[in-house]
Amino acid sequence: QVQLQESGPGLVKPSQTLSLTCTVSGGSITTNFYYWSWIRQPPGKGLEWIGCIAASGSTYYSPSLKSRTSISRDTSNNQFSLQLSSVTPEDTAVYYCARATDVGGISSSDYWGQGTQVTVSS
């Protein structure tokens, strides 16, 4: 059973960088044909795909967020991370990490973290 767990600060000030880490157990983030993804859900809205990192290390980002997004990984600790810069209150959301079988996949995500609330506020 693959398990994912998000961690990071729950409160970020406007203009600062949101940083989250996903720790994966029960499976390797270098396993081929999987995309390790970040997805968020603002209050009262639907799920939004942010980006992902492939087993090869290649990264892919939502066009609407690409300029502010960076996804990286630490293979020795089986972790991947999200950095979202220049945040505003509109970035307030529950943030999830997930394992997907294609780029941009939400429906194709078979394993999810429990989600972590991140609030952008001064």
Side-chain angles (χ1 to χ4, degrees), residues 18 40-43 88-95 117-121:
L18 181 159
R40 70 181 183 180
Q41 186 168 33
T88 73
E90 291 188 354
D91 293 309
T92 294
V94 177
Y95 284 75
Q117 173 71 45
V118 179
T119 299
V120 179
S121 176

Side-chain angles (χ1 to χ4, degrees), residues 2 4 22 24 26-28 31 33-39 80 97-102 105-106 108-113:
V2 175
L4 299 89
C22 183
V24 179
S28 174
T31 298
F33 305 114
Y34 292 116
Y35 301 86
W36 302 92
S37 307
W38 288 100
I39 299 156
F80 63 104
C97 55
R99 187 183 80 171
T101 57
D102 56 15
I106 296 176
S108 71
S109 297
D110 55 355
Y111 291 97
W112 295 67

Side-chain angles (χ1 to χ4, degrees), residues 64-80:
S64 64
L65 296 170
K66 183 176 181 178
S67 66
R68 299 193 290 131
T69 306
S70 179
I71 296 172
S72 58
R73 66 180 184 173
D74 179 353
T75 58
S76 65
N77 290 305
N78 213 36
Q79 296 175 323
F80 63 104

